[in-house]
PDB file of all heavy atoms in Angstrom:
ATOM      1  N   ALA A 423      28.595  -9.365 -10.737  1.00 94.00           N
ATOM      2  CA  ALA A 423      27.790 -10.583 -10.894  1.00 94.00           C
ATOM      3  C   ALA A 423      26.295 -10.276 -10.988  1.00 94.00           C
ATOM      4  O   ALA A 423      25.570 -10.927 -11.735  1.00 94.00           O
ATOM      5  CB  ALA A 423      28.053 -11.547  -9.732  1.00 94.00           C
ATOM      6  N   ARG A 424      25.841  -9.295 -10.222  1.00 96.00           N
ATOM      7  CA  ARG A 424      24.408  -8.972 -10.203  1.00 96.00           C
ATOM      8  C   ARG A 424      24.052  -7.725 -11.000  1.00 96.00           C
ATOM      9  O   ARG A 424      22.884  -7.378 -11.118  1.00 96.00           O
ATOM     10  CB  ARG A 424      23.920  -8.820  -8.755  1.00 96.00           C
ATOM     11  CG  ARG A 424      24.014 -10.087  -7.943  1.00 96.00           C
ATOM     12  CD  ARG A 424      23.175 -11.179  -8.584  1.00 96.00           C
ATOM     13  NE  ARG A 424      23.407 -12.455  -7.949  1.00 96.00           N
ATOM     14  CZ  ARG A 424      22.450 -13.274  -7.564  1.00 96.00           C
ATOM     15  NH1 ARG A 424      21.191 -12.971  -7.766  1.00 96.00           N
ATOM     16  NH2 ARG A 424      22.769 -14.424  -7.005  1.00 96.00           N
ATOM     17  N   HIS A 425      25.047  -7.026 -11.492  1.00 95.00           N
ATOM     18  CA  HIS A 425      24.858  -5.841 -12.335  1.00 95.00           C
ATOM     19  C   HIS A 425      24.027  -4.749 -11.658  1.00 95.00           C
ATOM     20  O   HIS A 425      23.230  -4.068 -12.315  1.00 95.00           O
ATOM     21  CB  HIS A 425      24.260  -6.215 -13.694  1.00 95.00           C
ATOM     22  CG  HIS A 425      25.040  -7.274 -14.391  1.00 95.00           C
ATOM     23  ND1 HIS A 425      26.283  -7.059 -14.952  1.00 95.00           N
ATOM     24  CD2 HIS A 425      24.783  -8.595 -14.566  1.00 95.00           C
ATOM     25  CE1 HIS A 425      26.745  -8.179 -15.464  1.00 95.00           C
ATOM     26  NE2 HIS A 425      25.857  -9.142 -15.239  1.00 95.00           N
ATOM     27  N   LEU A 426      24.190  -4.619 -10.349  1.00 95.00           N
ATOM     28  CA  LEU A 426      23.515  -3.552  -9.620  1.00 95.00           C
ATOM     29  C   LEU A 426      24.375  -2.302  -9.669  1.00 95.00           C
ATOM     30  O   LEU A 426      25.597  -2.376  -9.795  1.00 95.00           O
ATOM     31  CB  LEU A 426      23.259  -3.967  -8.165  1.00 95.00           C
ATOM     32  CG  LEU A 426      22.394  -5.207  -7.964  1.00 95.00           C
ATOM     33  CD1 LEU A 426      22.238  -5.517  -6.481  1.00 95.00           C
ATOM     34  CD2 LEU A 426      21.031  -5.029  -8.613  1.00 95.00           C
ATOM     35  N   LYS A 427      23.736  -1.142  -9.556  1.00 94.00           N
ATOM     36  CA  LYS A 427      24.453   0.127  -9.642  1.00 94.00           C
ATOM     37  C   LYS A 427      24.528   0.782  -8.267  1.00 94.00           C
ATOM     38  O   LYS A 427      23.499   0.989  -7.623  1.00 94.00           O
ATOM     39  CB  LYS A 427      23.768   1.055 -10.622  1.00 94.00           C
ATOM     40  CG  LYS A 427      23.772   0.518 -12.040  1.00 94.00           C
ATOM     41  CD  LYS A 427      23.443   1.588 -13.039  1.00 94.00           C
ATOM     42  CE  LYS A 427      23.361   1.072 -14.441  1.00 94.00           C
ATOM     43  NZ  LYS A 427      24.448   0.323 -14.918  1.00 94.00           N
ATOM     44  N   GLU A 428      25.759   1.100  -7.877  1.00 91.00           N
ATOM     45  CA  GLU A 428      25.941   1.815  -6.619  1.00 91.00           C
ATOM     46  C   GLU A 428      25.311   3.197  -6.758  1.00 91.00           C
ATOM     47  O   GLU A 428      25.422   3.853  -7.786  1.00 91.00           O
ATOM     48  CB  GLU A 428      27.432   1.959  -6.299  1.00 91.00           C
ATOM     49  CG  GLU A 428      27.681   2.658  -4.985  1.00 91.00           C
ATOM     50  CD  GLU A 428      29.147   2.821  -4.650  1.00 91.00           C
ATOM     51  OE1 GLU A 428      30.008   2.458  -5.471  1.00 91.00           O
ATOM     52  OE2 GLU A 428      29.419   3.311  -3.555  1.00 91.00           O
ATOM     53  N   GLY A 429      24.615   3.620  -5.725  1.00 92.00           N
ATOM     54  CA  GLY A 429      23.935   4.907  -5.747  1.00 92.00           C
ATOM     55  C   GLY A 429      22.510   4.826  -6.261  1.00 92.00           C
ATOM     56  O   GLY A 429      21.721   5.741  -6.074  1.00 92.00           O
ATOM     57  N   VAL A 430      22.186   3.714  -6.929  1.00 95.00           N
ATOM     58  CA  VAL A 430      20.829   3.501  -7.453  1.00 95.00           C
ATOM     59  C   VAL A 430      20.210   2.297  -6.748  1.00 95.00           C
ATOM     60  O   VAL A 430      19.198   2.421  -6.066  1.00 95.00           O
ATOM     61  CB  VAL A 430      20.840   3.289  -8.985  1.00 95.00           C
ATOM     62  CG1 VAL A 430      19.434   2.976  -9.496  1.00 95.00           C
ATOM     63  CG2 VAL A 430      21.428   4.494  -9.700  1.00 95.00           C
ATOM     64  N   ASP A 431      20.819   1.135  -6.947  1.00 96.00           N
ATOM     65  CA  ASP A 431      20.292  -0.106  -6.376  1.00 96.00           C
ATOM     66  C   ASP A 431      20.769  -0.340  -4.946  1.00 96.00           C
ATOM     67  O   ASP A 431      20.105  -1.025  -4.177  1.00 96.00           O
ATOM     68  CB  ASP A 431      20.706  -1.303  -7.235  1.00 96.00           C
ATOM     69  CG  ASP A 431      20.197  -1.172  -8.666  1.00 96.00           C
ATOM     70  OD1 ASP A 431      18.994  -0.915  -8.827  1.00 96.00           O
ATOM     71  OD2 ASP A 431      21.005  -1.309  -9.605  1.00 96.00           O
ATOM     72  N   PHE A 432      21.941   0.188  -4.617  1.00 95.00           N
ATOM     73  CA  PHE A 432      22.479   0.045  -3.268  1.00 95.00           C
ATOM     74  C   PHE A 432      23.401   1.210  -2.951  1.00 95.00           C
ATOM     75  O   PHE A 432      23.898   1.896  -3.852  1.00 95.00           O
ATOM     76  CB  PHE A 432      23.233  -1.289  -3.101  1.00 95.00           C
ATOM     77  CG  PHE A 432      24.556  -1.356  -3.820  1.00 95.00           C
ATOM     78  CD1 PHE A 432      25.733  -1.041  -3.155  1.00 95.00           C
ATOM     79  CD2 PHE A 432      24.629  -1.738  -5.150  1.00 95.00           C
ATOM     80  CE1 PHE A 432      26.955  -1.102  -3.810  1.00 95.00           C
ATOM     81  CE2 PHE A 432      25.837  -1.813  -5.804  1.00 95.00           C
ATOM     82  CZ  PHE A 432      27.011  -1.493  -5.140  1.00 95.00           C
ATOM     83  N   LEU A 433      23.580   1.437  -1.674  1.00 94.00           N
ATOM     84  CA  LEU A 433      24.516   2.453  -1.192  1.00 94.00           C
ATOM     85  C   LEU A 433      25.600   1.740  -0.399  1.00 94.00           C
ATOM     86  O   LEU A 433      25.309   0.812   0.359  1.00 94.00           O
ATOM     87  CB  LEU A 433      23.812   3.462  -0.287  1.00 94.00           C
ATOM     88  CG  LEU A 433      22.631   4.219  -0.894  1.00 94.00           C
ATOM     89  CD1 LEU A 433      21.970   5.088   0.157  1.00 94.00           C
ATOM     90  CD2 LEU A 433      23.090   5.059  -2.078  1.00 94.00           C
ATOM     91  N   PHE A 434      26.820   2.174  -0.594  1.00 92.00           N
ATOM     92  CA  PHE A 434      27.944   1.604   0.149  1.00 92.00           C
ATOM     93  C   PHE A 434      28.298   2.563   1.281  1.00 92.00           C
ATOM     94  O   PHE A 434      28.523   3.737   1.045  1.00 92.00           O
ATOM     95  CB  PHE A 434      29.140   1.392  -0.775  1.00 92.00           C
ATOM     96  CG  PHE A 434      30.347   0.821  -0.080  1.00 92.00           C
ATOM     97  CD1 PHE A 434      30.277  -0.421   0.534  1.00 92.00           C
ATOM     98  CD2 PHE A 434      31.536   1.505  -0.054  1.00 92.00           C
ATOM     99  CE1 PHE A 434      31.390  -0.961   1.171  1.00 92.00           C
ATOM    100  CE2 PHE A 434      32.656   0.978   0.573  1.00 92.00           C
ATOM    101  CZ  PHE A 434      32.579  -0.251   1.190  1.00 92.00           C
TER     102      PHE A 434
END
Side-chain angles (χ1 to χ4, degrees):
R424 296 300 171 133
H425 307 288
L426 300 179
K427 297 196 183 308
E428 182 180 4
V430 176
D431 301 309
F432 72 94
L433 302 175
F434 179 61

